[in-house]
Amino acid sequence: MTRKPDLRSMTRRELLASGAKAGAALVIGSNFVTHATEAWAMETTALEPATMATLVQMARDIYPHDRVADQFYAAAVKGYDTPEAAPAIEAGVAALDAAAQGMGHPSYLGTPWERDRVEILRSMEQSGFFQTIRGGLVTGLYNNKEVWPVFGYEGESFSQGGYLDRGFNDINWL
Amino acid sequence: MTAPFDLNDDNVVVIIGTGAGGGVLGNELAQKGVSVVALEAGGRYLPEDYINDEWESFGQLAWLDPRTTSGDWRVARDFSGLPAWIVKAVGGTTVHWAGASLRFQEHEWKAKTTYGDVQGASLLDWPIDAAEMAPWYEKAETKLGVTRTGGREGLPGNNNYKVFEAGAKALGYKEVHTGRMAINSADYDNRVACQQTGFCFQGCKWGAKWSAAYTDIPRGEATGNLEVRERCQAARILHDANGKVTGVEYFDADGNLQMQKARIVCVAGNSFESPRLLLNSASSMFPDGLANSSGQVGRNYMRHTTGSVYAVFDKPVRMWRGTTMAGIIQDEARHDPSRGFVGGYELETLGLGLPFMAAFLDPGAWGREFTTALDSYENMAGMWIVGEDMPQETNRVTINHEVKDKYGLPVVDVHFDDHPNDIAMRNHAYRQGTAVYEAVGATRTFPTPPYPSTHNLGTNRMSERAQDGVVNKWGQTHDIANLFISDGSQFTTGAAENPTLTIVALAIRQADHIAAEMGKGAL
Ligand SMILES: Cc1cc2nc3c(=O)[nH]c(=O)nc-3n(C[C@H](O)[C@H](O)[C@H](O)COP(=O)(O)OP(=O)(O)OC[C@H]3O[C@@H](n4cnc5c(N)ncnc54)[C@H](O)[C@@H]3O)c2cc1C
Ligand code: SF4
């Protein structure tokens, strides 16, 4: 069974469920536009699409880089979409939603402001679930060669002859 | 041309580990006509195999077998299964190392005398001194081709160095340069000059940096006197009824237990594995492990007082370009207790790639405080602190019988607590490092905690008297005449300098001694 989560509609559903105030909806509404312009979709096999959507948001909230597109966060967590990992992840996301509800939000995804989501994450910072997701992101996100250009990092240089003639000492502002 | 020696040949010297200590010792002995079998737990990788990618290279080269940690050091929390960052490969950690090659300062050979009694520290003077070591240092510098020694030019400064130098000079520091590096500034000894590729930690694909993997080891093998058995892990050192060692049991590449007879055994597995081997070799005659009548095996573990300072500027630096560590400020290396601590420290440039920066800048951190730092990665400069830490009897490597490696051998637990002197020194260095970068306009600075230990020292220390340590001034164990320690674990104290030049100088000197004693029939 293969299911395709649509992050936009997920978020929209969450939003409807949350009965969010107009102001917040506008902010989120503009996020949909951003997402809508991203040409990517991810299939899930073992995880509920809603769970994957929550994981992607969680990943961004843990390591928020506004210039890094969702697809890189999605790539960093897609490894949890296996029959072995799924039960623990579903349980973790359920706990995350429960924590959100405990703070008066409809769910994690239905919490519009980053600062509120961060507060939810802080409340479960010591949990094995949070630490697994955070630890995995350190390599899952930052060791993705495709994301390096966003940070200016140039990666492998041997094949180009190193930087001897390519600016190892080109600093000009000192 | 390799020299296959028979397992029953009891005339060979068996060396365990082929890094800075063991790799050099093996070649030096082979050059003198001594038959050597070197056992190396890791595989063989040469420049064409090295990978310009931090994590992939780490997976290729690092020692990843289980170890455990305890104590108040932050590494035990952040990297509980990885107390050290060291290599498991032919050539040992000289594949990873950055090449900084400094001699000890004269007073550092006599730490106890110079610093006096420091509460909680097990300080001791080395049984050797600067005058004795000078000729061996010179041989080591020649072997490694160290820049700014022997008439060799310094390396050119990269972007990271230029920021560092400008800040240092603005602060009034005087001893600031691109370091004494075992990296060629011009072609030397059949190795090319540095091409500034910037992956010194991942193995130098040009061979511009000295590593035992592609210098000493193949040269030793070419004599026909050195046989390196790769993927062979020593498990136990055997002895006879007279208390002389007679051979080494090891697991070969296929996992089969073998036994190589030996005339002399030299242990050079770095400061965790060397004491582990001695302790795991306990017998009814030596119930506390080999060479451990003093109870000092595994104690006095030192790792240098380290830490890093990274800084963000309003314009690009691109610190990853060029040599990883070619830059140094030496003004703080002096002993000057008026700063609130004994001993001194060096500040050295350090550039990490984005993947390692994410892992090491502030392990465990998350949220915007952390990610805005990485957003400015391109505008970052970095330096590393390396200072003398205090030996403490309770900082030690012990056998953890609960955890076994793939051969069923118990692994080590590494316990470390910072000494108050270490903390005072680190805080001073954080302040000075920060000031260096602020002097050239840093907008944000990061006093970054120590990484898993790259410098691992002291767990089989050298001492004048047998009750104070494990080996004498030749690295020969006090208890067993034909058992030697040949790596960084013989350090009595750590000094402020990166250790490898001293490990190499001691190995050259030890080879000279062993060959002479063998010649006299004394060994
Ligand atoms: C990233 C990095 C950068 C560094 N930069 C510098 C620097 O700039 N300057 C400097 O002076 N130092 C530097 N160092 C430290 C330096 O590399 C080490 O101090 C030095 O290599 C230690 O030498 P050694 O002989 O004690 O051990 P190693 O070089 O680690 O060699 C030990 C060898 O023994 C093998 N071994 C262990 N146990 C067994 C066993 N039971 N059987 C068989 N083989 C075994 C291991 O696989 C390994 O190959 C750096 C280290 C790292 C990790
Ligand atoms: S910067 Fe120089 S020494 Fe370092 S890996 Fe590149 S060529 Fe080798």
mmCIF file of all heavy atoms in Angstrom, chain B residues 16-18 22 63 67 86-87 266-275 277 486-487 489:
data_model
loop_
_atom_site.group_PDB
_atom_site.id
_atom_site.type_symbol
_atom_site.label_atom_id
_atom_site.label_comp_id
_atom_site.label_asym_id
_atom_site.label_seq_id
_atom_site.Cartn_x
_atom_site.Cartn_y
_atom_site.Cartn_z
ATOM 1 N N ILE B 16 52.417 -3.739 17.898
ATOM 2 C CA ILE B 16 50.950 -3.742 17.852
ATOM 3 C C ILE B 16 50.474 -2.325 17.578
ATOM 4 O O ILE B 16 50.613 -1.431 18.413
ATOM 5 C CB ILE B 16 50.378 -4.295 19.166
ATOM 6 C CG1 ILE B 16 50.820 -5.761 19.318
ATOM 7 C CG2 ILE B 16 48.852 -4.171 19.182
ATOM 8 C CD1 ILE B 16 50.766 -6.275 20.717
ATOM 9 N N GLY B 17 49.945 -2.109 16.370
ATOM 10 C CA GLY B 17 49.509 -0.774 15.955
ATOM 11 C C GLY B 17 50.549 -0.123 15.058
ATOM 12 O O GLY B 17 51.754 -0.251 15.288
ATOM 13 N N THR B 18 50.088 0.540 14.004
ATOM 14 C CA THR B 18 51.028 1.097 13.013
ATOM 15 C C THR B 18 50.834 2.604 12.823
ATOM 16 O O THR B 18 50.949 3.123 11.728
ATOM 17 C CB THR B 18 50.850 0.400 11.654
ATOM 18 O OG1 THR B 18 49.490 0.585 11.229
ATOM 19 C CG2 THR B 18 51.180 -1.078 11.715
ATOM 20 N N GLY B 22 53.909 3.230 16.352
ATOM 21 C CA GLY B 22 54.216 1.905 15.817
ATOM 22 C C GLY B 22 54.688 1.915 14.378
ATOM 23 O O GLY B 22 55.588 1.147 14.008
ATOM 24 N N TRP B 63 38.050 4.602 14.254
ATOM 25 C CA TRP B 63 37.873 3.468 15.160
ATOM 26 C C TRP B 63 36.456 3.563 15.702
ATOM 27 O O TRP B 63 36.140 4.449 16.489
ATOM 28 C CB TRP B 63 38.896 3.534 16.299
ATOM 29 C CG TRP B 63 38.817 2.359 17.220
ATOM 30 C CD1 TRP B 63 37.858 2.129 18.158
ATOM 31 C CD2 TRP B 63 39.722 1.245 17.288
ATOM 32 N NE1 TRP B 63 38.104 0.930 18.797
ATOM 33 C CE2 TRP B 63 39.235 0.374 18.296
ATOM 34 C CE3 TRP B 63 40.889 0.890 16.600
ATOM 35 C CZ2 TRP B 63 39.893 -0.828 18.631
ATOM 36 C CZ3 TRP B 63 41.531 -0.302 16.949
ATOM 37 C CH2 TRP B 63 41.041 -1.148 17.944
ATOM 38 N N ARG B 67 33.151 1.584 22.838
ATOM 39 C CA ARG B 67 33.851 2.020 24.045
ATOM 40 C C ARG B 67 32.797 2.699 24.906
ATOM 41 O O ARG B 67 31.773 3.132 24.383
ATOM 42 C CB ARG B 67 34.950 3.045 23.713
ATOM 43 C CG ARG B 67 36.198 2.413 23.108
ATOM 44 C CD ARG B 67 37.134 3.453 22.518
ATOM 45 N NE ARG B 67 38.347 2.813 22.031
ATOM 46 C CZ ARG B 67 39.092 3.274 21.026
ATOM 47 N NH1 ARG B 67 38.761 4.389 20.411
ATOM 48 N NH2 ARG B 67 40.174 2.630 20.647
ATOM 49 N N ILE B 86 39.834 8.665 16.652
ATOM 50 C CA ILE B 86 41.119 8.135 16.200
ATOM 51 C C ILE B 86 40.885 7.123 15.082
ATOM 52 O O ILE B 86 39.772 6.690 14.864
ATOM 53 C CB ILE B 86 41.955 7.507 17.351
ATOM 54 C CG1 ILE B 86 41.073 6.672 18.277
ATOM 55 C CG2 ILE B 86 42.669 8.572 18.122
ATOM 56 C CD1 ILE B 86 41.802 6.159 19.503
ATOM 57 N N VAL B 87 41.959 6.778 14.435
ATOM 58 C CA VAL B 87 41.856 5.985 13.207
ATOM 59 C C VAL B 87 42.151 4.519 13.476
ATOM 60 O O VAL B 87 42.975 4.176 14.331
ATOM 61 C CB VAL B 87 42.821 6.544 12.137
ATOM 62 C CG1 VAL B 87 42.892 5.619 10.921
ATOM 63 C CG2 VAL B 87 42.386 7.943 11.712
ATOM 64 N N CYS B 266 56.242 -4.635 21.253
ATOM 65 C CA CYS B 266 56.096 -3.191 21.408
ATOM 66 C C CYS B 266 54.630 -2.832 21.199
ATOM 67 O O CYS B 266 54.061 -3.130 20.147
ATOM 68 C CB CYS B 266 56.941 -2.443 20.376
ATOM 69 S SG CYS B 266 58.704 -2.806 20.519
ATOM 70 N N VAL B 267 54.035 -2.195 22.183
ATOM 71 C CA VAL B 267 52.603 -1.899 22.137
ATOM 72 C C VAL B 267 52.408 -0.444 21.720
ATOM 73 O O VAL B 267 52.953 0.466 22.349
ATOM 74 C CB VAL B 267 51.956 -2.167 23.510
ATOM 75 C CG1 VAL B 267 50.452 -1.933 23.439
ATOM 76 C CG2 VAL B 267 52.257 -3.583 23.976
ATOM 77 N N ALA B 268 51.641 -0.236 20.643
ATOM 78 C CA ALA B 268 51.461 1.115 20.098
ATOM 79 C C ALA B 268 50.053 1.272 19.540
ATOM 80 O O ALA B 268 49.842 1.696 18.416
ATOM 81 C CB ALA B 268 52.504 1.394 19.007
ATOM 82 N N GLY B 269 49.060 0.958 20.367
ATOM 83 C CA GLY B 269 47.670 0.972 19.915
ATOM 84 C C GLY B 269 46.909 2.233 20.279
ATOM 85 O O GLY B 269 45.693 2.259 20.204
ATOM 86 N N ASN B 270 47.610 3.281 20.678
ATOM 87 C CA ASN B 270 47.033 4.539 21.172
ATOM 88 C C ASN B 270 46.538 4.333 22.607
ATOM 89 O O ASN B 270 46.463 3.223 23.099
ATOM 90 C CB ASN B 270 45.936 5.067 20.234
ATOM 91 C CG ASN B 270 45.777 6.590 20.323
ATOM 92 O OD1 ASN B 270 45.893 7.175 21.402
ATOM 93 N ND2 ASN B 270 45.527 7.215 19.194
ATOM 94 N N SER B 271 46.217 5.430 23.288
ATOM 95 C CA SER B 271 46.109 5.420 24.756
ATOM 96 C C SER B 271 44.908 4.709 25.354
ATOM 97 O O SER B 271 44.807 4.620 26.566
ATOM 98 C CB SER B 271 46.164 6.853 25.292
ATOM 99 O OG SER B 271 47.479 7.341 25.169
ATOM 100 N N PHE B 272 43.998 4.203 24.507
ATOM 101 C CA PHE B 272 42.932 3.352 25.053
ATOM 102 C C PHE B 272 43.282 1.882 24.841
ATOM 103 O O PHE B 272 43.160 1.066 25.746
ATOM 104 C CB PHE B 272 41.584 3.625 24.377
ATOM 105 C CG PHE B 272 41.055 5.024 24.566
ATOM 106 C CD1 PHE B 272 40.076 5.523 23.732
ATOM 107 C CD2 PHE B 272 41.523 5.841 25.584
ATOM 108 C CE1 PHE B 272 39.570 6.795 23.903
ATOM 109 C CE2 PHE B 272 41.031 7.128 25.770
ATOM 110 C CZ PHE B 272 40.048 7.607 24.916
ATOM 111 N N GLU B 273 43.677 1.573 23.609
ATOM 112 C CA GLU B 273 43.901 0.164 23.286
ATOM 113 C C GLU B 273 45.168 -0.379 23.924
ATOM 114 O O GLU B 273 45.237 -1.574 24.254
ATOM 115 C CB GLU B 273 43.920 -0.043 21.774
ATOM 116 C CG GLU B 273 42.592 0.252 21.099
ATOM 117 C CD GLU B 273 41.402 -0.460 21.732
ATOM 118 O OE1 GLU B 273 41.488 -1.683 21.934
ATOM 119 O OE2 GLU B 273 40.403 0.215 22.037
ATOM 120 N N SER B 274 46.190 0.438 24.106
ATOM 121 C CA SER B 274 47.432 -0.083 24.708
ATOM 122 C C SER B 274 47.215 -0.546 26.145
ATOM 123 O O SER B 274 47.550 -1.691 26.480
ATOM 124 C CB SER B 274 48.557 0.957 24.602
ATOM 125 O OG SER B 274 48.931 1.102 23.247
ATOM 126 N N PRO B 275 46.620 0.296 27.015
ATOM 127 C CA PRO B 275 46.360 -0.229 28.371
ATOM 128 C C PRO B 275 45.329 -1.363 28.360
ATOM 129 O O PRO B 275 45.424 -2.292 29.161
ATOM 130 C CB PRO B 275 45.845 0.992 29.139
ATOM 131 C CG PRO B 275 45.391 1.967 28.102
ATOM 132 C CD PRO B 275 46.271 1.724 26.903
ATOM 133 N N LEU B 277 45.024 -3.704 26.220
ATOM 134 C CA LEU B 277 45.730 -4.939 25.902
ATOM 135 C C LEU B 277 46.514 -5.446 27.115
ATOM 136 O O LEU B 277 46.511 -6.653 27.410
ATOM 137 C CB LEU B 277 46.664 -4.671 24.723
ATOM 138 C CG LEU B 277 47.226 -5.850 23.971
ATOM 139 C CD1 LEU B 277 46.118 -6.747 23.434
ATOM 140 C CD2 LEU B 277 48.092 -5.348 22.822
ATOM 141 N N SER B 486 55.174 2.147 22.848
ATOM 142 C CA SER B 486 55.792 2.945 21.793
ATOM 143 C C SER B 486 54.881 4.048 21.254
ATOM 144 O O SER B 486 55.139 4.590 20.188
ATOM 145 C CB SER B 486 56.188 2.018 20.639
ATOM 146 O OG SER B 486 56.809 0.851 21.138
ATOM 147 N N ASP B 487 53.822 4.371 21.978
ATOM 148 C CA ASP B 487 52.879 5.363 21.460
ATOM 149 C C ASP B 487 52.695 6.499 22.458
ATOM 150 O O ASP B 487 53.456 6.624 23.423
ATOM 151 C CB ASP B 487 51.539 4.695 21.139
ATOM 152 C CG ASP B 487 50.914 4.055 22.381
ATOM 153 O OD1 ASP B 487 51.390 4.321 23.508
ATOM 154 O OD2 ASP B 487 49.959 3.276 22.213
ATOM 155 N N SER B 489 50.757 6.811 24.801
ATOM 156 C CA SER B 489 50.373 6.459 26.171
ATOM 157 C C SER B 489 51.562 6.539 27.122
ATOM 158 O O SER B 489 51.381 6.557 28.330
ATOM 159 C CB SER B 489 49.715 5.074 26.216
ATOM 160 O OG SER B 489 50.623 4.038 25.943
#
